Amino acid sequence: NMLFSPTSLTECVREWEDLEKNYQQIQDTHRLYKQKLEEVTKLQNSCTSAISRQRKKLKELTVSLRECKENHPNPKLSAEELEAIGEIEKSTKERTNSFFEMEAFLPKKNGLYLSLVLGNVNVTLLNKQAKFAYKDEYEKFKLVVTVILFIVSFTCRFLALDALFYFLLVWYYCTLTIRESILITNGSRIKGWWVFHHYVSTFLSGVMLTWPEGVLYQMFRNQFISYSLYQSFVQFLQYYYQSGCLYRLRTLGERHTMDLTVEGFQSWMWRGLTFLLPFLFFGHFWQLYNGLTLFRMSQLPQCKEWQVCVRQSLKKKQSLSCSAAGRPVGVSNKQLITGLLVFKVLFF
């Protein structure tokens, strides 16, 4: 009854009138927002077209300069002309890097993989805060799942949770490939070998998931579970070492904000790296031992599972490809780390 008293009704009418005014303001704000959004879309298309035209003209100019130098040997070109050509070539390279930074904030078509998984959804983040937040969330995701994998692999030593563990590996690496493709679209300079390694790891995890229960599987099971447990532990150590190095490099202004915890080396990093190296070398020897074990199993007369041969051959190719590209953790080999460290010490 108090709700419909004259005083309460008057207050309700006044409240409604205030809401009406506020609603009109919301409509005006939303109308302005759509107008600005259309303007932003036009500016994005204009920038994208201008960059494409400029890049095409720069490519033509580079070809013309090359022909000019070939058709006119050095004696026929003055020092000023050679200097001018050098300046143009240098500026062209700098402009290419500048275009890469610009395109990181412009919508672009998804690559083949993202198109198959997500369709034609725009995944470009249009401000630095959103980009860095997504990259930071990617790093935290890796850390959290690494801890979960460590716990599950430890549990598998006592309980038969193999299918759950392998399914978790497949899901983890699939998710990583999608997230890394989105990061690349947003300007992150992830190396191709890093993404390729995760594609191969996804397939190998699927091979383990489909490996039927049998004598050969039991021969390899405990060895692989133990290796996965150790690998999760090493990746946990590596994450904290490299995240600390990357944070310091960003603070010094020597790394890009979208770089991941997979690169970067300075002389002051030796202190932490000397602690990490024994774990890395041991992991590489263990992986080599896994490959030899699978090879011996493939030679047994009772070996009829295709998973043994496929996993053994792909493990070898994965190690070779990732080693050649430069991954110093997980699946690369001891020769790579030694060569990489020597190179860093000599040239940095």
Side-chain angles (χ1 to χ4, degrees):
N1 293 334
M2 291 297 294
L3 180 62
F4 297 97
S5 62
T7 305
S8 297
L9 182 58
T10 303
E11 292 176 355
C12 288
V13 172
R14 188 181 301 113
E15 180 68 20
W16 172 252
E17 291 174 351
D18 292 339
L19 288 173
E20 277 288 299
K21 294 178 182 178
N22 185 255
Y23 176 68
Q24 293 298 326
Q25 293 176 355
I26 293 174
Q27 282 186 318
D28 293 338
T29 303
H30 187 260
R31 192 177 299 110
L32 179 62
Y33 164 73
K34 290 196 297 182
Q35 178 184 343
K36 296 297 183 183
L37 193 60
E38 290 177 359
E39 293 176 4
V40 168
T41 303
K42 291 180 181 178
L43 287 172
Q44 289 173 343
N45 294 334
S46 176
C47 284
T48 302
S49 300
I51 289 174
S52 298
R53 288 194 299 269
Q54 176 104 172
R55 184 177 278 129
K56 182 180 179 180
K57 290 181 178 180
L58 285 175
K59 186 176 180 180
E60 294 173 353
L61 179 60
T62 302
V63 173
S64 298
L65 287 174
R66 188 182 303 116
E67 292 177 352
C68 181
K69 291 171 67 176
E70 291 175 355
N71 296 332
H72 298 81
N74 289 346
K76 295 184 180 181
L77 291 175
S78 65
E80 292 79 7
E81 291 174 329
L82 290 174
E83 184 179 355
I85 293 175
E87 286 294 327
I88 293 175
E89 292 177 341
K90 180 181 178 182
S91 299
T92 301
K93 293 180 181 178
E94 292 176 353
R95 194 160 299 179
T96 301
N97 296 331
S98 179
F99 286 155
F100 179 80
E101 296 290 337
M102 291 180 186
E103 288 177 328
F105 293 91
L106 294 171
K108 57 179 70 67
K109 291 183 179 180
N110 295 334
L112 176 62
Y113 181 64
L114 278 182
S115 297
L116 291 174
V117 176
L118 302 177
N120 195 28
V121 178
N122 181 23
V123 296
T124 306
L125 303 173
L126 300 181
N127 61 77
K128 288 184 178 181
Q129 292 78 10
K131 291 176 183 289
F132 184 76
Y134 188 80
K135 189 218 71 77
D136 190 54
E137 198 276 332
Y138 162 83
E139 299 286 4
K140 291 178 180 177
F141 169 78
K142 288 197 302 180
L143 178 63
V144 170
V145 178
T146 296
V147 174
I148 294 174
L149 288 172
F150 179 85
I151 296 172
V152 175
S153 58
F154 179 78
T155 307
C156 285
R157 297 286 299 172
F158 309 100
L159 300 175
L161 300 176
D162 300 25
L164 174 63
F165 177 62
Y166 299 141
F167 178 80
L168 183 61
L169 284 176
V170 173
W171 169 79
Y172 172 58
Y173 286 117
C174 279
T175 306
L176 279 186
T177 57
I178 296 173
R179 288 173 179 251
E180 287 164 355
S181 297
I182 294 175
L183 284 170
I184 292 172
T185 301
N186 283 278
S188 184
R189 297 177 291 189
I190 305 176
K191 304 299 183 184
W193 56 263
W194 178 257
V195 181
F196 173 76
H197 154 68
H198 289 153
Y199 285 130
V200 177
S201 297
T202 303
F203 180 77
L204 290 177
S205 300
V207 171
M208 291 299 298
L209 181 63
T210 59
W211 196 344
E213 185 78 19
V215 177
L216 292 178
Y217 173 75
Q218 289 299 328
M219 288 173 60
F220 187 67
R221 176 190 180 275
N222 289 338
Q223 180 176 326
F224 179 76
I225 294 296
S226 299
Y227 172 75
S228 299
L229 181 68
Y230 178 79
Q231 187 182 44
S232 297
F233 170 70
V234 173
Q235 287 176 347
F236 182 80
L237 294 179
Q238 181 207 11
Y239 171 83
Y240 273 100
Y241 163 74
Q242 290 186 326
S243 62
C245 293
L246 190 56
Y247 174 80
R248 184 167 177 180
L249 287 169
R250 285 202 195 105
T251 305
L252 296 172
E254 298 180 19
R255 299 300 293 183
H256 193 270
T257 55
M258 290 295 286
D259 283 355
L260 306 180
T261 53
V262 293
E263 295 189 65
F265 189 89
Q266 299 289 340
S267 58
W268 48 264
M269 298 179 187
W270 272 110
R271 183 176 180 182
L273 188 60
T274 51
F275 169 78
L276 194 60
L277 275 177
F279 296 98
L280 296 178
F281 277 110
F282 183 76
H284 301 327
F285 279 114
W286 197 337
Q287 186 184 36
L288 177 62
Y289 178 67
N290 287 342
L292 291 174
T293 301
L294 289 168
F295 177 75
R296 289 177 187 146
M297 289 170 58
S298 66
Q299 305 301 312
L300 295 176
Q302 64 266 35
C303 177
K304 298 180 180 180
E305 291 94 339
W306 60 269
Q307 286 87 353
V308 177
C309 298
V310 170
R311 189 169 177 83
Q312 186 269 332
S313 60
L314 280 181
K315 264 292 183 183
K316 182 178 179 181
K317 291 179 181 178
Q318 184 188 30
S319 295
L320 291 174
S321 62
C322 291
S323 296
R327 183 182 187 220
V329 177
V331 296
S332 60
N333 58 25
K334 57 186 180 300
Q335 290 89 351
L336 169 67
I337 291 187
T338 305
L340 180 64
L341 291 176
V342 171
F343 176 79
K344 294 292 186 179
V345 171
L346 291 177
F347 294 96
F348 291 92

